[in-house]
Amino acid sequence: MKRIGVFTSGGDSPGMNACIRAVVRTATYHGIEVYGIMRGYSGLMRGEFVKLDSASVSNTVQKGGTILKSARSHSFRTKEGRQQAFDQLVNNGIEGLVAIGGNGTFTGAMIFEQEFGIPTVGAPGTIDNDLYGTDYTIGYDTAVNTALDCVDKIRDTADSHDRCFFIEVMGRDSGYIAIPCAIGGGAEIVMVPETQMSVEAAIETLRSGWQRHKTSFIVIVAEGDVEGNAHHVAAHVKAAIPQLDTRVTVIGHIQRGGSPTAADRLLGSQIGIAAVEGLMNGMKNVMAGIIDRKLVYTPFIDTISKKKPINQSFMRMVEILSV
Amino acid sequence: MKRIGVFTSGGDSPGMNACIRAVVRTATYHGIEVYGIMRGYSGLMRGEFVKLDSASVSNTVQKGGTILKSARSHSFRTKEGRQQAFDQLVNNGIEGLVAIGGNGTFTGAMIFEQEFGIPTVGAPGTIDNDLYGTDYTIGYDTAVNTALDCVDKIRDTADSHDRCFFIEVMGRDSGYIAIPCAIGGGAEIVMVPETQMSVEAAIETLRSGWQRHKTSFIVIVAEGDVEGNAHHVAAHVKAAIPQLDTRVTVIGHIQRGGSPTAADRLLGSQIGIAAVEGLMNGMKNVMAGIIDRKLVYTPFIDTISKKKPINQSFMRMVEILSV
Amino acid sequence: MKRIGVFTSGGDSPGMNACIRAVVRTATYHGIEVYGIMRGYSGLMRGEFVKLDSASVSNTVQKGGTILKSARSHSFRTKEGRQQAFDQLVNNGIEGLVAIGGNGTFTGAMIFEQEFGIPTVGAPGTIDNDLYGTDYTIGYDTAVNTALDCVDKIRDTADSHDRCFFIEVMGRDSGYIAIPCAIGGGAEIVMVPETQMSVEAAIETLRSGWQRHKTSFIVIVAEGDVEGNAHHVAAHVKAAIPQLDTRVTVIGHIQRGGSPTAADRLLGSQIGIAAVEGLMNGMKNVMAGIIDRKLVYTPFIDTISKKKPINQSFMRMVEILSV
Amino acid sequence: MKRIGVFTSGGDSPGMNACIRAVVRTATYHGIEVYGIMRGYSGLMRGEFVKLDSASVSNTVQKGGTILKSARSHSFRTKEGRQQAFDQLVNNGIEGLVAIGGNGTFTGAMIFEQEFGIPTVGAPGTIDNDLYGTDYTIGYDTAVNTALDCVDKIRDTADSHDRCFFIEVMGRDSGYIAIPCAIGGGAEIVMVPETQMSVEAAIETLRSGWQRHKTSFIVIVAEGDVEGNAHHVAAHVKAAIPQLDTRVTVIGHIQRGGSPTAADRLLGSQIGIAAVEGLMNGMKNVMAGIIDRKLVYTPFIDTISKKKPINQSFMRMVEILSV
C-alpha cells in the first residue's frame, strides 16, 4: 500500500483531529502517503483531496471539530455516486481508506468495498458511544465532561433558588451521556431510553422528595428518551406538582465541540495508528476499537447490527447515590 | 451601628458569594456583627437569620450561586409583609442591611426605608449588567465568559459541518452579554434589543455571505431582542435561504452558574467592603458601584429610573470585524 | 455491621469526595451508620469522628481535595498508637473501615486488622495511578487532564517563541501521568522512569529536530525519572545545544486539585459503593478496584507487593506521533 | 496609506491574535493592504512578510500565543539593522506599522521613526499590565484568571492537608497579577514589589494565624518581589516556624498561554481597530489604550518613562478580607 486516504463523516466529535493526526503520522512513519478527503463521502466523490504530511497536522491534537470537515451525502447512496468516488481514488492512486465516523459511515464503506474492492478500516468517531466493538468512542469522554460541567453550573443556580431543573443531554438512542452526568452531577433522577422509567415514576420521586422538604432537584433527560424531551417531561411534572419551580435547559450542540480530553486524544491516537496498521496488514470492513484496554478489530457487519448494552449497574448507582 | 444583615435577592449571579464574604469580613474588621438573611425578603419576613463570622465565609469566594439563597417574595410588596420584616429586624437588633440584587430588590429596600427607617446599601448583583450606577455588575464578566466558551465550542461544530448557528444568550433587555460574545466569538451577526436590526437585514447579510461561498455562520441573538428569540429568527432565515443548514442553541441557565472570574471576585469584594463602610457612614438608599475604576454610591432612585446606554461603538466593531 | 468509619489518608486526589459521598449514601441505603474520621490515622487515634448522613455529602461530588482532610501519622506506626485507635473505635461502636488512599494507608490497615481484628476495605485514591489491582486510581484522570491543560497553554508560548520547554509532571515512580500528556500534548520527547531514555538520547533527538529546522519542542519529564528533574535535564540539554532557547515549568501541586472529571466521579462512586458492600459481605484487607470495567477486590498484600506495569505500546506511540 | 505591516514583539500574551485579526479586518474594511511580519523586528529585518486578508485571520480570535510569532532581536538595536528593516519596508511598499508588544518594542519603533520616518502605532500586549497609557494590557485578564485557577486548585490540596503554600505568580516589577490572585484566591498574605512587606512581617502574620489554630495558608508572591522568589521566602518561613508544613509552586509560563478571556478578546479588538485608524489619521509614536473605557493614544515617550501606580486600596482589601 503506497497511498491512503482519510476522512471524517457523520456528526463531528472531539478527538477526530487526534485520530487524523495519528493516521497521518503513522502512515508517514511507515513510508505511506496520505491524502485528506474533505467533507466525507461528498468530497470523496468530488475529489476534494489534500496531501497531508507530518507538519499538516501539527497543533491540531487539541482542537475540537474536524479539520477535514464532515457532511452528509445522498449521492454516495447511489451506484453512480460510488462509481464516481472509485474513479477519483483510482485517478489519485489511493489504495485504502480510513473512515472516521459511525454506522452510517461504515455501511457506506462496506457497500463500496463489495462493489469496488477499496478496503476501508473504520474508526469510531461519535460522542454518543453507541457503537458495538469498542468500550468508548472518540469524543464521548469530552462530551460527558462538557455536559457535566453544564450540570455543575446549573446546580449552582438550582440550589440558590430551590428549583427543579430538567437538563437534556445528547446520546441519540442511548443513556451513555446521561448516566455519568447523573451520577457525577448529583442528579436525583435520570431518564434514559434503555429503561422504562415513566414520567409518572419521576413525578412520584419528586413528590416524595418535596414532602421530605427537599427543595432543589436535577433531572437528567436523555434526548432519545421515549417519554420525550426535557420540555415535555417538565410540563408533565409541573402539571402534577404545581408548587415546584421548574426550569429546562437543553445543552445541545455545545456537547459536540471543545478541546478533547486526555482520554479522547489518547483513544483517537491509538485508533488512528491501529487503522493504518490494519490497512497495511490487509484488513478491510472492520472498525478498530479498544475493548478492556486491548486493540480489537470488529467487522462492520457486527458494529452495524449489534447493540452495545449499557451497564445496568449504573442505574442502580443513581438510585443508591440519590438517597 | 452594631449589627447588620446581608441578603441576596432576585436572580443569582457568580460573585455574590465574594460580595457576601467581603461584607462579613469588613463588618468583622470594624467590630460589627453580621447576620445572613436566607432567601431574600422572604427570609427577612420569616426571620431566617444565621449569625456569620469570618470562618463562615471561608472557601466561598470561588463558588457560584449564593450561599444565602435567593427567592422572590410577593408578601414583601404588602405593608403587612414589610411590618413583619421590620419586627424581625428589631427583635434581632439588626440596624442596617446590605442588599445584593437588582432594581426589584432596591425598590423594595427603598420603600422599606421610607416606611420603617432601616437603611440599606445595595450591591449590583446580576449577570445582565443593565444597572445604572456601575460600569459592571457582579456576575456579568463570568456570564460573558461562560457564554463565549459555549460559542467557541459551537463554532468547532459549525465549521466542521458548514452550518449556520443561531445562539441565544441572556441579558434581559440589553445586548451587554450578546455583544462581547459576538466580537470575541467571531460571529457574523449580532441581534440586540438596542438596535433596530430586522430579521430581513440578517437574511441579507447571510445571503450575501453565502453568495461569496462562505459556508459557516454564527448569529448571536440576545434573549430580549424585539425580533424574538433564536428559534423564531432561525425559522425565518431558513424559510428565506433554504440551502442554509441551520441549528439553534439556547445557552440558558448555564450562564448563571459556575465559579466567578477574577474580575467578578474582585468587583464583588470591592463592593462588599464599600457597602458596609457606606452603612457605617450613615448612607442609605444607595447602590455601591465602580465607575471608571472609582467607587461611586448612586441613589436607588437613579439606578431604578435611569438606563445605562450600551457603548454604540461596539456595534460598529461587529461590523468591521466580520468583514 | 451497624456502624462504619471512612477516612482519607496520604496525598489527596480529586474524586475522593465522590468516593466519600458514595460510602455515606450506600451505607445509609443499607441502614448502616457512618462516621467520618478526620485527618486519616491521626484523627482515628484522637477520635476526631463526625457523624455523616446523606445531607452531609450533598454538593461535595464536584469538589477537589477531601472534606475529611488527610494527614501523615507517625504514631500509628507504633503499637501504642494503634491500641489508641482501636479504643476509639470500640468506644464509638465502629465495626469496619473504608480507607481511601494508597499503599502506605493499606499497609497500616492490614497491620491494624491483624492486631485488632477491625476489617478495612480500601479505595485507591491517588493521582499517580501506580496501584496494582485497578486500571485507574481515583484522581488520575483529573490530574492528567490538568497537566495536559498546562501543556496546551505552554505550547502556545513555545510555538510563539520557538522555544524548547521542559515540563515536569507528577507520578512518583511511574510515567502514568507523563505519557498521556506527551501523546495528547504533542510532545516530541517523554522521559519516564520505566524506560532507560538517557539525557544523551534526548539531546540527540532535539539536535536532529533542530537540524531539520524544527524550532519549538516540548519535553515531558516525569518527576521520578532517574535522569533527574526537569531543571537538571534542561541544564544538560542547554549545555549540549546552546542555540536552543530552553525554559522549564514544574506543574507541581496544581495537579492535585480541581474539580474531578466525570471519569473520576464515576470511579470514586463505583468504588465507594463496592467498599461498603464489601464490608457488609465480610471482606477485609482488600482494595476495591475496576479492572476491564469489572469490579475486583484485590488483597492488600498484592496491591502493596505487585507492580502494575505501564502499557509499553504507549512508548511506541510517542515515537510514531512525534514523527 | 495603502499598505501597512503588523507584528508582535516581546513576550507573547493571550489576545494578541484578537488584536492582529482586528488590524487585518479594519485595514481591509478601509481598503488598506496588510502584511504580517513574522518574529517581530527579526523578521522585519529579514523581510519575513506574509500577505494577510480577512480569511487569514478566521478562527484565530480564540487562540493563545501569536500567529505572527515573536522573537528578541539584537541587530535591530544597531543602525545597520534598522537600515535593513527600512529597505525591506520600502521594497514591499509598507508605509506604516502596528507594533503589538511592550516598552522594549515601542522604544525600537520610536528610534526607527526618528531615523527613517516610518510611523508606528503601538498596542499594549503583555500579561504584566505594567504599561502606562492603558488601564489594562492585552493578556492581563487571561493571565490573572489562569493564575487564579491554579490558586483555586492548590487551595483544595492546602486545605486537605493543613499546609502553607507559597505560590509565585508573574508580573515582572509589579503586583498587578499577584493582587487579584490574593483577593480572589482567598490568600492570607500577598508580597508585591510595590510595598515594603518584609519576610519578617509575613512570618509574624503566619505565626499569629497558627496560634489561633489556623492550619492552612496561601501566600502569593510576585516574581519581582524584593524579598526574592517563593522558594526563598518559603525557606525563611520554614526556618522561623518549623511546625508549618510548607510547599512552593511556581506557576510560570502557564500564565502566558491559553485561550484569551472575553475581556482580552474585546480589548485586543478595540485596540487593533484603533491602531489602524490611528495610522490612517497620521498618528505615530503613540500607543492605543483604553482608559476609563475611552480610547486614548499615549506618546511612546510617556508609556516608556512613566509608571502606572497600582491601586493602593487593593492592599487594604487583602488585609480586610483575610481577617
Side-chain angles (χ1 to χ4, degrees), chain C residues 263-283:
Chain C
D264 275 330
R265 298 188 198 184
L266 196 60
L267 181 63
S269 301
Q270 286 180 288
I271 288 180
I273 293 174
V276 172
E277 300 191 337
L279 277 178
M280 289 171 64
N281 291 329
M283 290 184 175

Side-chain angles (χ1 to χ4, degrees), chain B residues 54 59 159 277 316 323, chain D residues 54 59 152 159 277 316 323:
Chain B
S54 240
N59 238 332
D159 282 346
E277 300 191 337
R316 183 173 173 258
V323 152
Chain D
S54 239
N59 238 332
D152 281 351
D159 282 347
E277 299 190 338
R316 181 171 174 261
V323 152

Side-chain angles (χ1 to χ4, degrees), chain C residues 163-166 188-189 191 197 199-219 233-234 236-238 241 244 246:
Chain C
R163 279 176 178 160
C164 178
F165 265 91
F166 296 84
E188 278 72 23
I189 297 175
M191 301 181 73
M197 186 180 223
V199 175
E200 283 67 39
I203 289 171
E204 225 28 72
T205 302
L206 292 169
R207 200 194 307 273
S208 126
W210 181 263
Q211 282 159 358
R212 283 177 289 124
H213 304 291
K214 193 164 163 50
T215 49
S216 77
F217 301 89
I218 302 278
V219 181
V233 174
H236 274 267
V237 167
K238 182 73 186 173
I241 318 178
L244 268 189
T246 59

Side-chain angles (χ1 to χ4, degrees), chain A residues 21-22 25-26 28-30 54 59 61-62 135-136 141 144-145 148 152 155-156 159 179-180 182-187 259-263 265-266 269-270 273 277 291-294 311 313-314 316-317 319-323, chain C residues 21-22 25-26 28-30 54 59 61-62 135-136 141 144-145 148 152 155-156 159 179-180 182-187 259-263 265-266 269-270 273 277 291-294 311 313-314 316-317 319-323:
Chain A
R21 166 182 173 259
R25 297 208 165 158
T26 306
T28 305
Y29 181 84
H30 290 298
S54 238
N59 238 332
V61 69
Q62 79 278 20
D135 289 343
Y136 303 110
D141 187 62
V144 169
N145 277 287
L148 184 53
D152 282 351
R155 204 209 338 243
D156 285 343
D159 282 347
I179 284 177
I183 292 172
S259 184
T261 59
R265 298 188 199 185
L266 195 61
S269 300
Q270 285 180 289
I273 293 174
E277 300 191 339
I291 298 180
D292 291 345
R293 294 171 303 137
K294 277 171 218 71
N311 191 329
S313 75
F314 287 139
R316 182 172 173 259
M317 287 180 68
E319 192 196 334
I320 292 179
L321 296 177
S322 62
V323 152
Chain C
R21 166 180 173 261
R25 297 206 165 160
T26 307
T28 305
Y29 181 84
H30 290 298
S54 239
N59 239 330
V61 69
Q62 79 279 20
D135 289 343
Y136 304 109
D141 187 62
V144 168
N145 277 289
L148 184 53
D152 282 351
R155 203 208 338 242
D156 284 343
D159 282 347
I179 284 177
I183 292 173
S259 184
T261 58
R265 298 188 198 184
L266 196 60
S269 301
Q270 286 180 288
I273 293 174
E277 300 191 337
I291 298 180
D292 292 345
R293 294 170 304 139
K294 276 170 219 73
N311 191 330
S313 75
F314 286 141
R316 182 173 174 259
M317 286 180 69
E319 192 196 334
I320 293 179
L321 295 177
S322 62
V323 153

Side-chain angles (χ1 to χ4, degrees), chain D residues 30 32 69 77 81 114 152 154 170 185 194 221 224 230 252 254 257 265 274 283 296:
Chain D
H30 290 298
I32 296 172
K69 299 206 173 193
R77 297 196 191 147
Q114 284 154 4
D152 281 351
I154 288 172
M170 285 189 162
E194 287 88 347
V221 184
I254 298 166
R265 298 188 199 184
M283 290 183 175
V296 176

Side-chain angles (χ1 to χ4, degrees), chain D residues 157-178:
Chain D
T157 191
D159 282 347
S160 296
H161 284 276
D162 296 337
R163 278 177 179 161
C164 177
F165 265 91
F166 297 84
I167 306 177
E168 183 172 320
V169 299
M170 285 189 162
R172 220 153 39 185
D173 304 323
S174 91
Y176 277 111
I177 296 181

